Amino acid sequence: MLPVEHDDPINAKILAISEDKIEGFVREPFEEIARRSGVEVDVVMARIAAMLRAGTIRRVRQTLLATNLADGALVAWKVPEDKINSAFDWMFQRDPFSGHVVVRSTDTVSAGSEYKLWTTLKVPHGFSLQKHCELLTQKVGAEKFRIMPAKGIFTLGVGHVRRKTIEPGEKADVPAKMIRVEVVDLGEHEWNVLLALKREFAPEEIRPNLWQSRAKEAEVSSDEFYRVAEDLGARKIIGRFSTFLEHVKPSQTGVRVTRFNALFHWAVPSGREIETGGEVGRHHILTHCYWREAGPEFKNVNIMAVAHGTDKQRLLDHKAAIDRHLQSCGIPVSYTNIFWGGRSEIKPSEISPKVYREWIRQIDPQTA
């Protein structure tokens, strides 16, 4: 039987590349993982399939820069204490457009700490984030919500295995560049290819020429599939080919990839968001860093970042190092906080307009 834990030496070599280093669309991603990890391609495929079957890897898929294909936001929900678990279940199980669903808490009562349920949400272009949240409010019994779209993205990755050895304060030589959120419209032909492209891979699909079956699913030739996929990549719609670790729950043998999930908040002067995001986002520990406007209830926080780890104090040390760096850059921070993740489930947010229309018909026929 093949080893399936993430900390097995060969698996760790593979995951250090396969988690978030294969950017864009690649015709033979497993060959690229093999080349960059120094592990034979047959071993790469066998190990990834084994880890996927065991649940160490929760999904293998081509990711998209979905902010360009759908209106997205981080949403904080104020839900009565006795309804939080049922609201969590409803959003995770019944709303395909809510991706990350997380119960968060703060170490002390502080700005926004009454917002305990946090979700990521994407609604296809032509539909309304506000109306979607109003519908969810009715379904789950929320008291209120705060929608926080990304105005800019500085860091977007995973890489839990390689981040285990990062020291507090380790950062890139230059500030992170901001990716602007821009709307891209696709035709029906492109959507057909895209929907086949982004679907998760089953263990038996982890093999050479893995896109051939997806081309057949989209009812196009392999050459046409590659043409459309590579064009989408050139238009900054394709993210990366990734193996996503199960980092929230322990493995079958009780091994955890991470234990703590920290959402860092900073409030900086208006006009300095891009500068601050670049300085925060250059820190290697972060998996996400965004410019989002949280509003007065959160003391006007406008830079948010996420880090994961197995030791809470270690994450606090990382946060302190980032704070010191901002101070050294002369960037004033009027307020900062940490929201710690508790119960959590993660799934890709659906972005298809067709799927959205069908969902609305089923979930709220009167609105449809």
Side-chain angles (χ1 to χ4, degrees), residues 3 28 30 42 63 69 104 142 173 193 207 278 303-304 364:
E28 292 291 347
F30 301 120
D42 288 346
T63 69
L69 292 171
R104 292 193 178 276
D173 294 336
V193 171
R207 59 177 185 257
I303 299 296
M304 299 185 185
D364 194 34

Side-chain angles (χ1 to χ4, degrees), residues 307-343:
H308 300 79
T310 53
D311 180 83
K312 185 174 182 179
Q313 184 57 53
R314 184 75 164 172
L315 284 175
L316 289 169
D317 293 343
H318 280 290
K319 169 69 164 51
I322 298 172
D323 291 341
R324 288 193 298 272
H325 178 67
L326 293 179
Q327 187 176 23
S328 73
C329 294
I331 298 173
V333 176
S334 60
Y335 174 77
T336 186
N337 202 356
I338 303 175
F339 280 75
W340 298 99
R343 185 185 179 195

Side-chain angles (χ1 to χ4, degrees), residues 274-311:
I274 296 176
E275 176 191 3
T276 308
E279 295 300 340
V280 171
R282 71 196 290 182
H283 286 78
H284 294 317
I285 190 61
L286 301 176
T287 58
H288 301 74
C289 180
Y290 294 93
W291 170 9
R292 300 185 189 274
E293 300 287 346
E297 287 184 284
F298 292 90
K299 289 201 172 180
N300 297 312
V301 161
N302 47 10
I303 299 296
M304 299 185 185
V306 177
H308 300 79
T310 53
D311 180 83

Side-chain angles (χ1 to χ4, degrees), residues 142-201:
E143 295 177 3
K144 55 182 176 177
F145 56 85
R146 173 68 184 173
I147 300 174
M148 296 168 274
K151 301 186 80 171
I153 304 168
F154 301 94
T155 301
L156 186 59
V158 194
H160 296 299
V161 168
R162 61 183 173 80
R163 282 182 169 86
K164 282 178 175 288
T165 58
I166 289 171
E167 293 294 325
E170 284 190 21
K171 57 188 181 294
D173 294 336
V174 295
K177 290 185 177 179
M178 187 177 83
I179 301 170
R180 294 192 178 274
V181 178
E182 299 174 332
V183 176
V184 177
D185 291 319
L186 300 183
E188 185 177 352
H189 179 62
E190 292 166 314
W191 269 113
N192 285 339
V193 171
L194 191 70
L195 292 176
L197 180 78
K198 76 181 184 70
R199 190 168 57 75
E200 296 175 24
F201 286 93

Side-chain angles (χ1 to χ4, degrees), residues 13-14 54 62 116 131 156 162 172 180 208 214 218 248 255 309:
K13 276 187 178 181
I14 294 168
Q62 180 72 56
K116 297 188 183 300
K131 288 183 178 178
L156 186 59
R162 61 183 173 80
R180 294 192 178 274
R214 297 302 171 90
V248 175
V255 176

Side-chain angles (χ1 to χ4, degrees), residues 2-298:
L2 291 174
V4 294
E5 295 296 354
H6 76 277
D7 53 2
D8 170 83
I10 293 175
N11 290 346
K13 276 187 178 181
I14 294 168
L15 291 166
I17 302 301
S18 68
E19 277 196 273
D20 68 345
K21 288 294 186 183
I22 308 300
E23 296 189 2
F25 174 78
V26 177
R27 294 191 181 196
E28 292 291 347
F30 301 120
E31 288 185 6
E32 183 65 11
I33 294 167
R35 185 185 68 80
R36 296 179 63 176
S37 67
V39 179
E40 291 291 332
V41 66
D42 288 346
V43 176
V44 165
M45 291 187 291
R47 292 295 186 101
I48 288 175
M51 285 188 280
L52 185 58
R53 287 190 178 95
T56 304
I57 292 174
R58 70 175 187 273
R59 59 178 59 93
V60 177
R61 63 185 287 262
Q62 180 72 56
T63 69
L64 310 177
L65 294 176
T67 46
N68 291 345
L69 292 171
D71 296 322
L74 180 66
V75 186
W77 302 86
K78 184 179 180 183
V79 181
E81 200 72 36
D82 62 346
K83 293 183 178 179
I84 286 179
N85 283 329
S86 61
F88 182 107
D89 291 339
W90 203 97
M91 291 185 185
F92 175 63
Q93 296 170 5
R94 302 190 62 187
D95 181 14
F97 307 95
S98 292
H100 291 51
V101 184
V102 185
V103 176
R104 292 193 178 276
S105 60
T106 53
D107 289 332
T108 61
V109 175
S110 52
S113 59
E114 71 271 24
Y115 288 83
K116 297 188 183 300
L117 184 61
W118 294 67
T119 63
T120 56
L121 175 64
K122 291 188 176 69
V123 173
H125 295 318
F127 299 94
S128 167
L129 281 168
Q130 179 71 27
K131 288 183 178 178
H132 191 93
C133 289
E134 289 171 358
L135 175 60
L136 293 186
T137 295
Q138 296 171 11
K139 296 295 182 183
V140 306
E143 295 177 3
K144 55 182 176 177
F145 56 85
R146 173 68 184 173
I147 300 174
M148 296 168 274
K151 301 186 80 171
I153 304 168
F154 301 94
T155 301
L156 186 59
V158 194
H160 296 299
V161 168
R162 61 183 173 80
R163 282 182 169 86
K164 282 178 175 288
T165 58
I166 289 171
E167 293 294 325
E170 284 190 21
K171 57 188 181 294
D173 294 336
V174 295
K177 290 185 177 179
M178 187 177 83
I179 301 170
R180 294 192 178 274
V181 178
E182 299 174 332
V183 176
V184 177
D185 291 319
L186 300 183
E188 185 177 352
H189 179 62
E190 292 166 314
W191 269 113
N192 285 339
V193 171
L194 191 70
L195 292 176
L197 180 78
K198 76 181 184 70
R199 190 168 57 75
E200 296 175 24
F201 286 93
E204 57 272 16
E205 293 181 284
I206 308 301
R207 59 177 185 257
N209 303 316
L210 81 166
W211 298 117
Q212 284 186 356
S213 62
R214 297 302 171 90
K216 192 174 296 184
E217 182 181 316
E219 299 182 336
V220 297
S221 67
S222 293
D223 285 345
E224 176 62 6
F225 188 91
Y226 292 145
R227 186 195 69 76
V228 173
E230 287 163 356
D231 178 64
L232 294 174
R235 293 163 67 186
K236 307 299 183 187
I237 292 170
I238 302 296
R240 53 175 59 89
F241 186 87
S242 297
T243 60
F244 291 86
L245 282 174
E246 176 50 78
H247 66 278
V248 175
K249 302 167 188 172
S251 71
Q252 293 176 346
T253 59
V255 176
R256 284 183 177 271
V257 177
T258 66
R259 187 177 296 274
F260 295 96
N261 165 344
L263 174 63
F264 300 149
H265 281 185
W266 292 272
V268 301
S270 178
R272 301 193 72 174
E273 296 92 349
I274 296 176
E275 176 191 3
T276 308
E279 295 300 340
V280 171
R282 71 196 290 182
H283 286 78
H284 294 317
I285 190 61
L286 301 176
T287 58
H288 301 74
C289 180
Y290 294 93
W291 170 9
R292 300 185 189 274
E293 300 287 346
E297 287 184 284
F298 292 90

